[in-house]
């Protein structure tokens, strides 16, 4: 096919990607946006298959077939609670593919004896480095989220120094590859050291910081694609790659802002290391924590006219989204107004809670962002915190020395009564005690989230019977 | 050099378009945004296909076959999971 036609088709694909992103800005049109993106991709693939550079199709079709099967299998079998791992893994696939394509093209060019431009050489180094880093960083992140790898930060002596050293080796090999691309071993060495860097960078980062890591890997997978675009001098790759790169950067910023921490602070790792400060917890909680049983909570709810549920990662762990739905439906049927307060970093990836609640048919109008719900808590009769801790910790507002100081929190303590469903008084990910548990208007319901919600619902139904 | 400047221009402008468009997406849609943009980063499949089709040496064939598989899994898995998620987002007057 005429190369100009192919280029125009690529341009059209990119227009579809951008239009798709624009449609994704509203829940109503989001599905169409995704389909636009998918058709853009289909067009790009079909047009590429018509390129006259291609002499044989068997390898391509084997690859497409296996990849499609793998993609369908992953997409259909992954439960919504495991979405962060799944997205993490797919980021890694994209990064790996970019690094591999770059290697294949480099070997081709060398064996054909083609001259290599500076642009080609720099892009080759960049794509190999970023792509491999993305794969291994994502594998560690997914492993932590799935529980295969220790979720707490993995620390060791001289950690920052070793990371810095490996980064320098990466950059050194990258410049070697740029200077002498005909020495192919530098490509392989660069892959190896970038892989090591990916692992070293992610291992010391704790589980609750994974949203940031996944956003960053998302961004890298796009940038690796854009770098591959410079390798091939292909605008479709550059445009699509930079769109994804930009998207990941924005999400990373949003996540960091929602924790009032800098990206550097997250990346250096170690946040959420287990350092038990029982003395402080002792003075804060001493004799002031009131616990309640499901019957008391049911009575509170019966008398309430406005209820807000605050879900956190614990909801996902306990698979309590269906129990939440049942309680929501019953309360709504009693004429009680029920909303959900969603903190940006609740869960293990941006928007994690929204997806879990959407899965159980909670209408999305009921999901309130932090700025929207905070001024309303004073009118709330009962706020129920399910599996969240740091995001409702008033220390963030009151103690400037706390690790979570300045983090925007959901101000549940303003509600008339706060019910915290939690197994124990153990600290959240940040490792600090939560004075909210000892507030006069707080009741602790010590139990598994799912069982507690079911018990509350059962008592409430008994009251009404 | 001219080619490079042209491509660099495209890259920088596309980044800005990305920032502009994506800032408008509300937090409740951030997970589908990630998985959807994730699928788009599978665009590297274009390079993988071209390379796999040339079939130059055993090594390039193996590398590009792997790349096609991974990129295609990324594309199909990404779009499909996004579709699955977005289908669940419902408004009040739902069926």
């Amino acid at each position: 096919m005429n190369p100009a036609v192919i280029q125009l088709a690529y341009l059209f694909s990119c227009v579809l990607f951008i239009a798709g992103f624009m449609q994704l800005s509203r829940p109503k049109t989001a599905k169409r946006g995704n389909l636009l993106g998918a058709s853009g991709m289909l067009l790009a693939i079909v047009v590429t298959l018509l390129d006259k550079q291609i002499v044989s199709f068997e390898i391509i079709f084997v690859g497409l077939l296996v990849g499609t099967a793998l993609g369908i299998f992953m997409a259909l079998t992954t439960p919504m609670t495991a979405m962060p791992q799944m997205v993490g893994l797919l980021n890694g696939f994209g990064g790996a593919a970019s690094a591999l394509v770059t290697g294949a093209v480099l070997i081709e060019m060398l064996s054909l004896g083609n001259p290599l431009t500076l642009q080609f050489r720099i892009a080759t180094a960049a794509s190999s480095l970023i792509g491999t880093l993305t794969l291994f960083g994502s594998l560690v992140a997914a492993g932590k989220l799935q529980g295969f790898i220790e979720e707490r930060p993995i620390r060791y002596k001289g950690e920052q120094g070793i990371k810095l050293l490996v980064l320098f080796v990466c950059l050194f090999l990258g410049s070697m590859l740029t200077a002498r691309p005909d020495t192919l071993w530098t490509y392989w060495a660069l892959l190896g050291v970038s892989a090591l860097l990916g692992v070293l960078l992610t291992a010391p980062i704790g589980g609750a910081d994974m949203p940031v890591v996944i956003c960053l890997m998302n961004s890298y997978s796009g940038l690796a694609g854009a770098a591959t675009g410079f390798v091939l001098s292909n605008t479709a790759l550059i445009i699509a790659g930079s769109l994804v790169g930009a998207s990941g950067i924005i999400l990373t910023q949003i996540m960091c802002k929602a924790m009032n921490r800098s990206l550097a602070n997250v990346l250096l790792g170690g946040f959420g290391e287990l350092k038990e400060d029982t003395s402080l917890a002792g003075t804060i909680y001493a004799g002031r924590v009131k616990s309640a049983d499901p019957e008391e909570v049911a009575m509170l709810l019966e008398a309430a006219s406005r209820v807000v549920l605050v879900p956190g990662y614990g909801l996902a762990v306990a698979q309590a989204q269906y129990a939440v739905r049942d309680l929501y439906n019953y309360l709504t049927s009693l004429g009680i107004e029920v909303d959900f307060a969603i903190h940006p970093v609740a869960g293990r990836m941006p928007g994690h809670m929204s997806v879990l609640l959407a899965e159980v048919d909670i209408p999305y109008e009921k999901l309130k962002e932090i700025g929207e719900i905070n001024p309303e808590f004073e009118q709330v009769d009962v706020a129920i915190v399910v599996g969240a801790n740091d995001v409702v910790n008033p220390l963030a507002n009151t103690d400037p020395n706390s690790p979570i100081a300045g983090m925007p929190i959901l101000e549940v303590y303003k509600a008339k009564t706060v019910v915290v469903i939690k197994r124990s008084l153990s600290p959240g990910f940040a490792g600090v005690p939560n004075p909210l548990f000892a507030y006069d208007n707080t009741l602790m319901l010590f139990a598994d989230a799912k069982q507690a919600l079911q018990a509350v619902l059962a008592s409430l139904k008994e009251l009404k019977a | 050099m001219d080619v490079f400047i042209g491509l660099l221009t495209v890259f920088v402008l596309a980044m800005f378009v990305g920032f502009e468009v994506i800032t408008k997406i509300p937090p409740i849609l951030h997970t589908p945004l990630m998985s959807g943009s994730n699928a788009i980063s599978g665009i590297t499949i274009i390079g993988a296909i071209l390379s796999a089709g040339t079939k130059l040496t055993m090594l390039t064939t193996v590398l590009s076959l792997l790349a096609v598989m991974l990129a295609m899994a990324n594309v199909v898995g990404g779009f499909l999971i996004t579709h699955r998620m977005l289908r669940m987002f419902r408004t009040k007057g739902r069926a």
Side-chain angles (χ1 to χ4, degrees):
Chain A
M1 196 187 264
N2 189 332
V5 177
I6 294 183
Q7 289 304 318
L8 283 175
Y10 283 157
L11 175 62
F12 192 58
S13 288
C14 292
V15 170
L16 287 173
F17 292 151
I18 296 172
F21 275 129
M22 288 162 95
Q23 301 270 354
L24 209 58
S25 64
R26 279 188 302 149
K28 260 201 178 107
T29 55
K31 216 167 85 183
R32 203 187 321 149
N34 185 51
L35 292 177
L36 282 182
S39 8
M41 189 60 76
L42 184 65
L43 175 68
I45 291 174
V46 170
V47 162
T48 308
L49 290 174
L50 301 174
D51 194 296
K52 59 176 178 301
Q53 189 189 324
I54 296 174
V55 293
S56 127
F57 283 95
E58 59 230 54
I59 299 291
I60 298 176
F61 282 127
V62 170
L64 291 180
L65 223 59
V66 174
T68 306
L70 183 61
I72 292 178
F73 175 77
M74 286 174 74
L76 294 185
T77 55
T78 312
M80 285 299 145
T81 41
M83 214 35 62
Q85 296 88 300
M86 160 89 182
V87 171
L89 214 54
L90 287 177
N91 280 335
F93 282 10
S98 286
L100 291 172
V101 172
T102 302
V105 174
L106 175 67
I107 297 167
E108 265 168 41
M109 297 291 256
L110 288 177
S111 63
L112 293 174
N114 288 350
L116 305 176
T117 61
L118 186 61
Q119 171 198 328
F120 177 91
R121 288 182 272 157
I122 295 178
T124 298
S127 166
S128 317
L129 199 168
I130 305 173
T132 316
L133 176 77
T134 310
L135 171 63
F136 283 84
S138 300
L139 284 178
V140 174
K144 279 181 177 253
L145 291 166
Q146 187 67 37
F148 292 150
I149 302 174
E150 170 64 42
E151 214 200 0
R152 290 262 162 199
I154 299 167
R155 313 303 302 270
Y156 45 87
K157 245 181 110 187
E159 180 199 323
Q160 306 303 350
I162 290 177
K163 283 193 279 191
L164 206 62
L165 181 74
V166 175
L167 174 67
F168 274 123
V169 176
C170 266
L171 294 178
F172 176 71
L173 286 170
S175 18
M176 287 238 324
L177 188 59
T178 307
R180 293 285 313 274
D182 50 319
T183 51
L184 203 54
W185 68 267
T186 44
Y187 167 73
W188 298 109
L190 183 59
L191 290 197
V193 184
S194 307
L196 182 64
L197 184 64
V199 173
L200 291 179
L201 280 179
T202 336
I205 301 179
D209 279 347
M210 281 307 132
V212 182
V213 175
I214 294 198
C215 292
L216 204 63
M217 292 301 155
N218 190 232
S219 175
Y220 287 172
S221 72
L223 294 177
T228 311
F230 280 99
V231 171
L232 301 167
S233 285
N234 181 312
T235 42
L237 269 121
I238 295 180
I239 296 176
S242 45
L243 287 175
V244 179
S247 148
I249 292 172
I250 291 179
L251 290 172
T252 309
Q253 274 177 343
I254 294 176
M255 289 299 112
C256 287
K257 223 162 122 193
M259 298 193 291
N260 192 38
R261 287 166 55 207
S262 67
L263 181 58
N265 177 294
V266 175
L267 290 186
L268 284 178
F271 193 82
E273 255 182 304
L274 212 50
K275 17 183 197 285
E276 285 288 339
D277 192 355
T278 40
S279 59
L280 185 58
T283 49
I284 286 182
Y285 297 145
R288 267 177 275 172
V289 175
K290 295 181 294 296
S291 74
D293 51 34
E295 290 75 31
E296 289 170 68
V297 177
M299 275 189 270
L300 277 171
L301 289 175
E302 196 203 6
S305 59
R306 179 122 201 248
V307 173
V308 170
L309 285 151
V310 184
Y313 182 55
L315 176 90
V317 176
Q319 303 271 352
Q321 68 269 39
Y322 289 94
V324 165
R325 189 252 326 255
D326 294 342
L327 184 63
Y328 165 83
N329 282 344
Y330 191 67
L331 290 174
T332 314
S333 73
L334 296 179
I336 299 171
E337 196 188 339
V338 187
D339 285 313
F340 291 83
I342 313 287
H343 194 280
V345 292
R348 287 295 187 261
M349 75 181 293
H352 192 186
M353 293 297 119
S354 315
V355 171
L356 282 189
L357 294 173
E359 185 190 9
V360 294
D361 285 341
I362 307 287
Y364 54 78
E365 295 92 340
K366 290 288 172 190
L367 313 184
K368 308 280 185 188
E369 288 167 36
I370 187 164
E372 201 180 348
I373 196 77
N374 267 349
E376 295 180 14
F377 271 117
E378 277 164 28
Q379 283 99 53
V380 170
D381 298 301
V382 186
I384 307 179
V385 180
V386 192
N389 189 345
D390 293 330
V391 297
V392 294
N393 192 336
L395 273 185
N397 290 345
T398 55
D399 178 5
N401 296 320
S402 165
I404 55 170
M407 164 168 144
I409 58 155
L410 291 163
E411 294 163 348
V412 290
Y413 60 86
K414 289 183 181 163
K416 290 193 188 77
T417 311
V418 184
V419 176
V420 179
I421 301 178
K422 209 175 170 311
R423 285 168 181 277
S424 68
L425 284 174
S426 63
F429 179 71
V432 287
N434 192 341
L436 174 75
F437 301 162
Y439 273 33
D440 287 339
N441 57 340
T442 301
L443 291 172
M444 301 295 297
L445 177 50
F446 292 111
D448 167 78
K450 190 170 160 186
Q451 286 160 8
L453 289 165
Q454 285 166 345
V456 169
L457 180 61
S459 314
L460 192 59
K461 281 183 174 161
E462 250 170 61
L463 279 177
K464 284 285 167 188
Chain B
M1 201 59 192
D2 285 351
V3 180
F4 173 69
I5 300 292
L7 294 175
L8 190 66
T9 311
V10 170
F11 174 70
V12 173
L13 293 183
M15 282 296 259
F16 275 99
V17 173
F19 284 130
E20 233 7 75
V21 173
I22 284 139
T23 316
K24 297 203 171 72
I25 297 177
I28 67 159
L29 288 172
H30 277 169
T31 296
L33 165 65
M34 287 201 85
S35 55
S37 65
N38 181 258
I40 290 177
S41 75
I43 185 72
T44 202
I45 186 123
I46 293 181
I49 289 175
L50 289 177
S51 185
T54 357
K55 235 182 155 184
L56 201 64
T57 67
M58 189 61 193
L59 186 57
T60 59
T61 307
V62 171
L63 289 180
S64 50
L65 172 65
L66 267 175
V68 174
M69 288 192 312
L70 290 171
M72 196 58 182
N74 186 359
V75 166
V76 174
F79 282 122
L80 194 57
I81 198 77
T82 311
H83 185 74
R84 224 183 110 199
M85 264 188 270
L86 289 172
R87 228 179 30 193
M88 302 182 321
F89 279 86
R90 303 204 180 152
T91 181
K92 256 181 269 175
R94 66 186 197 271

